[in-house]
Amino acid sequence: MGLGGCILMVAIGGILTFATDWNSSGFNVHLVGLILMAVGFIGMAAYVSVYKRRRVTAAPPVVEEPAPHHRHHYEM
C-alpha cells in the first residue's frame, strides 16, 4: 500500500471517529475509525522508513580537469 492509501485510511478513520453519529449493536463505528487511523499512521511510518532506505544519494558531480596546455617552443 502506498502513501496515498495510508492517507486515505487515516481520512476515513477520522470521518468514522469524529464526524459520524451512527450507533449499532455489536459494532462500534468509532472504534473502527480509531483502528483505521492507527493502521494508516503505522503504514505511513513504515512507508517513510522504507523510502528513506531506498533513496539513492546523488553521486558527486564529475569535474573534468582542463586539458593540459601544450606549449610549443619555437626557436627563431
Side-chain angles (χ1 to χ4, degrees):
M1 176 181 343
L3 188 60
C6 294
I7 292 172
L8 184 66
M9 287 180 71
V10 171
I12 292 172
I15 290 170
L16 288 176
T17 302
F18 302 113
T20 59
D21 198 19
W22 298 336
N23 292 321
S24 101
S25 60
F27 184 73
N28 190 345
V29 176
H30 300 290
L31 182 61
V32 170
L34 287 173
I35 291 170
L36 282 174
M37 286 194 307
V39 169
F41 282 126
I42 291 169
M44 277 193 281
Y47 180 81
V48 168
S49 69
V50 168
Y51 181 71
K52 268 187 188 178
R53 274 189 262 148
R54 276 193 200 169
R55 192 173 2 173
V56 178
T57 56
V62 177
V63 179
E64 294 183 19
E65 295 181 13
H69 295 284
H70 297 287
R71 295 187 180 185
H72 298 284
H73 297 287
Y74 296 106
E75 293 182 25
M76 289 185 154

